[in-house]
């Protein structure tokens, strides 16, 4: 009876570890993930060999060291099942896999004890111990690197460059256009999915005081710094009015990607009437990315509008509109893909009177307001450039 139970535990462990290993070896998004797949396949082969050795050790005794092979298979099964169980408890959501791995961990621990009780003859204890220690250290180090160090190591981030060109007058001299060149540079060794981009222009009125302004007026300006859209420099002569959104638009296709050590360039044109009340215009460009080594992304698709039934987050500000996109997210390794509930990335393309920005969230469906995994686990990063300000006095003087 004991042999049958040990055989069942080792065969089930072989099935579970082998399926994880095959999938990770072929599909994991990182090198450590592929190594994990290879380690799991090696362990599954050792547990399969251990299962065959159990049959020989209990019934045939045709191989002198079948007990040792069975013991090694049981020890390997226990260590690996225990690590997978800890990983599932730490990051997983699946009750099924928690129960399966818990049962296999307990069963393999009992199998080690049961095989050891049969007075296994160990021909070279030091070599066997060394082999077990080395394999365990390698497995633990790999798991630690992938699941502890990697999510918290120094992040990577693309760079956005903005160059404002010379304004061009229309033929009737009643309007002008300002060309803005945008260049996205990825100097990192990892690629990024593009979740959303936007460039917006803010018109600013700046009057000049005939004499130095009073200190209380400076303080009134500083009090506006709590409102990012109305943040202006402190000045003894300039009197800034809150900036107003002139134009906002995407500048790169959402759901696309930029590869490692690659670049992307485009140009947008902002047109304004010659009688614009603004004295200067400020340009801002932002983009939101997800690391391609942290997640797999299905096609990002339009999901709705905030003014037409689209669900908006609780942190929604008054007088801010949203365009909403959504896509399914896949984990970067087979273990998390199977043991975690499906996650989705929801991208909020926001715009209002005081500017525009992109806000992505990765969470389970319906939990977008409470997610805390987006940055650390999935490698979401934002790149921001601006304000790049340009006075309009030279243009308006040509009227």
């Amino acid at each position: 009876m004991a042999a049958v139970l040990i055989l069942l535990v080792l065969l089930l462990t072989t099935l579970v570890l082998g399926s994880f290993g095959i999938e990770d070896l072929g599909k994991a998004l990182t090198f450590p993930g592929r190594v994990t797949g290879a380690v799991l396949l090696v362990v599954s082969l050792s547990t399969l060999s251990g299962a065959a050795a159990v049959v020989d050790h209990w019934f045939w005794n045709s191989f002198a060291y079948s007990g040792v092979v069975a013991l090694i298979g049981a020890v390997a099964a226990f260590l690996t099942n225990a690590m997978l169980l800890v990983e599932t408890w730490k990051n997983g959501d699946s009750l099924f896999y928690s129960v399966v791995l818990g049962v296999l961990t307990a069963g393999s621990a009992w199998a080690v004890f049961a095989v050891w009780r049969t007075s296994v003859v160990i021909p070279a204890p030091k070599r066997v111990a060394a082999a077990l220690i080395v394999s365990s250290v390698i497995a633990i180090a790999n798991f630690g690197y992938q699941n502890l160090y990697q999510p918290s190591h120094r992040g990577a981030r693309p760079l956005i460059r903005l160059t404002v060109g010379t304004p061009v007058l229309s033929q009737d001299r009643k309007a002008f256009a300002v060309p803005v060149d945008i260049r996205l540079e990825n100097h990192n060794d990892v690629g990024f999915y593009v979740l959303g981009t936007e460039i917006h222009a803010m018109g600013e009125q700046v009057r000049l005081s005939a004499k130095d302004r009073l200190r209380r007026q400076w303080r009134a300006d500083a009090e506006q710094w709590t409102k990012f859209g109305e943040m202006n420099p402190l000045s003894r002569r300039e009197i800034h009015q809150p900036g107003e959104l002139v134009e906002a638009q995407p500048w790169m296709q959402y759901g696309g990607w930029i590869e490692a050590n690659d670049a992307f360039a485009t140009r947008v044109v902002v047109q304004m009437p010659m009688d614009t009340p603004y004295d200067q215009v400020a340009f801002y460009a932002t983009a939101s990315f997800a690391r391609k080594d942290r997640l797999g992304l299905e096609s990002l698709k339009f999901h709705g509008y905030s003014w037409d039934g689209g669900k908006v987050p609780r942190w929604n500000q008054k007088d801010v509109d949203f365009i909403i996109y959504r896509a399914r997210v896949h984990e970067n390794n087979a273990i998390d893909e199977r043991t975690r509930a499906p996650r989705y990335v929801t991208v909020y393309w926001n715009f209002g009177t005081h500017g525009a920005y992109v806000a992505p969230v990765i969470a389970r469906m319906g939990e977008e307001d409470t997610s805390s995994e987006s940055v650390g686990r999935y490698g979401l990063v934002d790149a921001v450039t601006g304000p790049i300000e340009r006075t309009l006095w030279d243009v308006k003087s040509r009227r």
Side-chain angles (χ1 to χ4, degrees), residues 259-325:
E259 297 294 354
N261 299 301
D262 198 2
F264 170 83
T266 188
R267 168 177 286 188
V268 299
V269 176
V270 177
Q271 300 187 60
M272 303 177 67
M274 287 294 288
D275 60 354
T276 178
Y278 305 120
D279 299 295
Q280 62 189 34
V281 61
F283 297 94
Y284 300 78
T286 62
S288 184
F289 305 96
R291 290 176 55 140
K292 293 182 69 176
D293 62 339
R294 300 285 184 86
L295 57 80
L297 188 67
E298 291 187 0
S299 178
L300 192 62
K301 297 180 180 179
F302 168 76
H303 188 67
Y305 302 106
S306 60
W307 60 89
D308 191 24
K311 182 181 177 181
V312 298
R314 285 182 294 183
W315 42 263
N316 177 28
Q317 300 177 15
K318 186 178 180 180
D319 299 326
V320 175
D321 293 315
F322 293 77
I323 303 175
I324 306 169
Y325 306 93

Side-chain angles (χ1 to χ4, degrees), residues 8 63 202 209:
L8 181 61
F63 180 54
M202 301 292 292
S209 174

